[in-house]
């Protein structure tokens, strides 16, 4: 599982001209699922994201988690995080999980991050053509891969 976590002051997802989700201060998470991913990957990533300390404390030091600042989360599925670009110029998506694997794990991640934060998270729509807008705060962008835990 791969995640691009962007600290934002606001973010939103629009589909076919209709606002699907909007958040204020928090994280926009682009989430990719590969064939080998399991519920263990979801649990590890939820804990890491929930405890990641990238929000400023009273001294201006990144020392607070999203839960400490009572931030919000918007999760957008993004199979393109598993693009293979080694041959030629057209990416291959072979490592991205099929829908029967990726949809349940994406939904589980959204459910578990909501439980961890004790508030609902915003979502995109799996497989839809989405317009994602954000104001990256910092900018702060962290990339995580559950296959590189150490």
């Amino acid at each position: 599982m791969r995640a691009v976590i962007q600290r934002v002051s606001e973010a939103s997802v629009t589909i076919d001209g209709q606002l699907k989700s909007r958040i204020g201060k928090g994280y926009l998470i682009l989430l990719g699922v590969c064939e080998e991913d399991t519920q263990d990957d979801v649990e590890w990533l939820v804990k890491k994201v929930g405890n990641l300390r990238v929000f400023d404390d009273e001294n201006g030091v990144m020392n607070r988690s999203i839960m400490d600042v009572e931030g919000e989360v918007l999760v957008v599925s993004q199979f393109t995080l598993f693009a293979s670009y080694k041959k030629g110029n057209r990416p291959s998506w072979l490592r991205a999980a099929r829908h029967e694997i990726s949809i349940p794990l994406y939904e589980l991640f959204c459910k578990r991050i909501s439980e961890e934060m004790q508030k609902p998270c915003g979502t995109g729509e799996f497989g839809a053509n989405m317009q994602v807008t954000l104001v990256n705060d910092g900018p702060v962008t962290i990339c995580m891969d559950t296959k590189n835990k150490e």
Side-chain angles (χ1 to χ4, degrees):
M1 202 168 255
R2 288 185 179 158
V4 175
I5 301 139
Q6 296 177 299
R7 187 180 77 181
V8 298
S9 53
E10 62 184 73
S12 66
V13 174
T14 303
I15 303 168
D16 295 327
Q18 299 294 313
L19 180 66
K20 168 78 167 111
S21 295
R22 175 179 289 160
I23 64 166
K25 179 180 183 175
Y27 290 147
L28 168 65
I29 301 174
L30 306 176
L31 185 70
V33 179
C34 77
E35 290 287 323
E36 298 83 33
D37 288 332
T38 67
Q39 290 183 8
D40 290 340
D41 294 288
V42 170
E43 295 302 326
W44 182 87
L45 191 56
V46 164
K47 292 293 183 194
K48 270 299 198 192
V49 168
N51 293 298
L52 186 65
R53 297 185 311 171
V54 295
F55 290 92
D56 291 348
D57 64 14
E58 61 281 350
N59 298 314
V61 176
M62 286 195 273
N63 202 28
R64 291 195 174 154
S65 72
I66 191 153
M67 292 189 287
D68 294 334
V69 300
E70 299 179 2
E72 299 177 277
V73 173
L74 173 56
V75 183
V76 176
S77 62
Q78 183 120 27
F79 75 93
T80 60
L81 292 177
F82 282 99
S84 175
Y85 44 83
K86 291 185 180 184
K87 289 184 180 178
N89 294 315
R90 184 172 180 207
S92 165
W93 318 113
L94 293 175
R95 291 213 44 232
R98 298 178 315 272
H99 283 175
E100 59 268 19
I101 294 170
S102 55
I103 292 173
L105 290 177
Y106 168 77
E107 290 174 350
L108 179 62
F109 179 84
C110 293
K111 177 179 184 271
R112 289 290 299 116
I113 198 75
S114 292
E115 291 170 351
E116 184 80 6
M117 296 186 57
Q118 299 179 353
K119 65 171 70 174
C121 78
T123 63
E125 183 176 309
F126 197 92
N129 183 353
M130 297 173 271
Q131 288 66 55
V132 179
T133 62
L134 70 135
V135 177
N136 194 320
D137 182 21
V140 174
T141 302
I142 307 287
C143 299
M144 290 187 184
D145 190 320
T146 60
K147 303 306 184 247
N148 295 322
K149 294 177 185 171
E150 291 154 38

